[in-house]
């Protein structure tokens, strides 16, 4: 059987697949992928390659699509289900890396590390300008608190921060586990938080969830971090809010449209940006590759995969 690795994954994962399958490592353009996909039984992607309905329908031999990572928003999962194709991923692989990046950004915003570095390199030695904030005692508001949010909470508590969690889907015992305060109303969360961090999926419920109304309510000293998905934060509203001093700054690892090659947010010195790299560590990518390769092997050998996002729907169809 033939496996296409369309976006690069770890060498260990490729070697594992090589033991059982014919493996082709090739990044195709969308048109090339459409023309070539029928040759393959499985395809593995990260975020660069998109798998829309037309590719799925052209995949006459396709049995499984692997996402070496968490989010499957680059794959048309409904189309895969309708065509009896498994969509597998590696949901836990990058949890620690994304949590660590979130903490890094919270610390960097509170101490304005990026501005201090730029100005010092310019020879300004702006010692008086850089009066930072301690995290100790500050309220960290979570918009969503699943696997990644939970790891952020553990680390934030170690810094003496107070977690406030808005997550309608979190079981009550978890609030107790983190010693966190449950907030049932998003407005209250944004009003009370010193730092706000997003750990929700992008869906119709969360799209544009942080917008003009929420920025109006924030403390002017508050900071926002988004290492989850672009689109949850309304970027135009964020720009207006920052220009009007409605919050102190923001750090964005994700954007509504990616790759984000330009944005008016890039003009603002209190906005830190990075190219969706929170999960890009050697450790996370090694895990993601190996776990995804194993899911592919399971499907192609007739076994049930452990991490399948459409398992229930496939069974029902
Ligand atoms: C993920 O969903 O796995 C992360 O956001 C990383 C990525 O998409 O590259």
């Amino acid at each position: 059987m033939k496996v296409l690795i369309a976006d690069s994954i770890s060498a260990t994962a490729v070697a594992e697949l090589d033991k059982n399958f014919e493996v082709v490592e090739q990044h195709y353009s969308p048109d090339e992928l459409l023309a070539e996909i029928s040759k393959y039984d499985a395809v593995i992607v990260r975020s660069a390659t998109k798998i829309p309905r037309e590719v799925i329908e052209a995949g006459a031999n396709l049995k499984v699509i692997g996402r070496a990572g968490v989010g499957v928003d680059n794959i048309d999962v409904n189309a895969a289900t309708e065509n009896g194709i498994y969509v597998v991923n590696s949901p836990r692989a990058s949890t620690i890396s994304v949590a660590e990046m979130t903490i890094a950004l919270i610390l960097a915003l509170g101490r304005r590390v990026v501005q201090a570095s730029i100005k010092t390199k310019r020879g300004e030695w702006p010692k008086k300008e850089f009066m930072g904030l301690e995290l100790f005692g500050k309220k960290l508001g979570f918009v969503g608190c699943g696997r990644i949010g939970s790891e952020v909470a553990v680390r934030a508590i170690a810094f003496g921060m107070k977690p406030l969690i808005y997550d309608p889907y979190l079981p009550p015992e978890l609030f107790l586990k983190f010693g966190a305060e449950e907030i049932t109303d998003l407005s209250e969360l944004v009003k009370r938080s010193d730092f706000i961090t997003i750990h929700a999926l992008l869906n119709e419920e969360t799209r544009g969830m942080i917008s003009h109304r929420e920025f109006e309510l924030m403390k002017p000293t508050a900071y926002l971090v988004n290492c989850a998905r672009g689109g949850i934060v309304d970027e135009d509203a964020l720009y207006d809010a920052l220009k009007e001093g409605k919050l102190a700054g923001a750090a964005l690892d994700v954007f509504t449209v990616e790759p984000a090659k330009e944005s008016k947010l890039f003009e603002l010195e209190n906005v830190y940006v990075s190219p969706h790299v929170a999960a890009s560590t050697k450790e996370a990518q090694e895990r993601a590759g190996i776990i995804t390769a194993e899911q592919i092997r399971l499907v192609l050998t007739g076994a049930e995969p452990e991490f399948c996002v459409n398992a229930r729907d496939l069974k029902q169809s």
Side-chain angles (χ1 to χ4, degrees):
M1 279 198 252
K2 223 167 158 182
V3 178
L4 170 65
I5 300 179
D7 298 328
S8 70
I9 58 169
S10 88
T12 325
V14 178
E16 279 304 312
L17 286 166
D18 254 334
K19 289 181 190 163
N20 298 295
F21 309 109
E22 185 186 339
V23 176
V24 175
E25 290 183 82
Q26 173 75 49
H27 179 74
Y28 289 122
S29 70
D31 287 343
E32 288 166 343
L33 184 64
L34 191 60
E36 297 293 319
I37 194 71
S38 64
K39 296 181 184 158
Y40 296 97
D41 298 279
V43 54
I44 298 185
V45 299
R46 286 178 59 196
S47 53
T49 299
K50 317 279 177 241
I51 309 283
R53 178 175 285 274
E54 52 178 355
V55 168
I56 289 169
E57 289 176 350
N61 293 303
L62 204 56
K63 296 162 189 63
V64 53
I65 301 165
R67 164 69 162 97
V70 187
V72 289
D73 29 335
N74 53 330
I75 300 167
D76 189 329
V77 179
N78 290 334
T81 308
E82 284 166 29
N83 286 274
I85 296 169
Y86 287 82
V87 179
V88 296
N89 66 349
S90 51
R92 292 199 277 267
S94 57
T95 305
I96 301 292
S97 296
V98 180
E100 289 183 0
M101 177 75 159
T102 304
I103 294 289
L105 294 175
I106 291 171
L107 283 163
L109 284 168
R111 303 303 290 266
R112 297 169 63 217
V113 169
V114 176
Q115 295 97 320
S117 171
I118 292 170
K119 293 195 173 185
T120 306
K121 282 185 182 172
R122 274 194 218 137
E124 293 179 27
W125 201 251
K127 198 171 163 75
K128 291 205 176 78
E129 202 184 308
F130 286 95
M131 189 59 75
L133 285 178
E134 286 183 349
L135 300 191
F136 186 83
K138 299 295 182 303
K139 294 192 172 64
L140 175 59
F142 288 77
V143 178
C145 191
R147 265 188 302 266
I148 295 171
S150 308
E151 293 296 337
V152 173
V154 168
R155 286 154 181 77
I157 289 165
F159 279 102
M161 298 188 90
K162 311 266 180 246
L164 307 179
I165 302 181
Y166 170 76
D167 187 336
Y169 304 100
L170 195 68
E173 61 275 15
L174 286 184
F175 290 100
L176 296 174
K177 181 176 155 202
F178 303 134
E181 190 178 338
E182 177 179 5
I183 307 288
T184 52
D185 176 22
L186 181 61
S187 304
E188 189 192 339
L189 182 104
V190 295
K191 235 187 246 172
R192 289 178 52 201
S193 300
D194 299 301
F195 290 83
I196 296 161
T197 183
I198 318 276
H199 298 290
L201 298 173
L202 177 65
N203 54 36
E204 285 325 303
E205 198 183 342
T206 61
R207 192 180 300 280
M209 194 181 194
I210 306 296
S211 191
H212 294 283
R213 197 183 69 92
E214 288 66 37
F215 291 123
E216 284 298 328
L217 298 170
M218 283 180 194
K219 297 183 186 182
T221 51
Y223 290 99
L224 174 73
V225 175
N226 189 5
C227 287
R229 277 294 179 268
I232 298 175
V233 175
D234 174 341
E235 289 168 10
D236 289 330
L238 173 61
Y239 178 83
D240 293 345
L242 286 163
K243 285 293 260 189
E244 290 161 23
K246 295 192 168 138
L247 72 161
L252 306 175
D253 185 51
V254 289
F255 294 86
T256 308
V257 178
E258 294 184 8
K261 297 265 174 77
E262 52 186 7
S263 165
K264 53 189 175 183
L265 287 163
F266 296 175
E267 294 157 18
L268 306 179
E269 67 149 21
N270 52 349
V271 174
Y272 297 175
V273 292
S274 47
H276 199 151
V277 290
S280 297
T281 61
K282 281 189 192 143
E283 295 84 352
Q285 291 311 315
E286 184 74 6
R287 277 184 224 115
I290 292 171
I291 294 168
T292 309
E294 175 58 3
Q295 306 311 300
I296 297 284
R297 188 191 69 77
L298 288 169
V299 176
L300 293 185
T301 55
E304 275 305 307
E306 196 186 346
F307 304 117
C308 177
V309 301
N310 60 346
R312 207 185 47 201
D313 298 334
L314 276 176
K315 279 194 189 111
Q316 282 166 2
S317 63

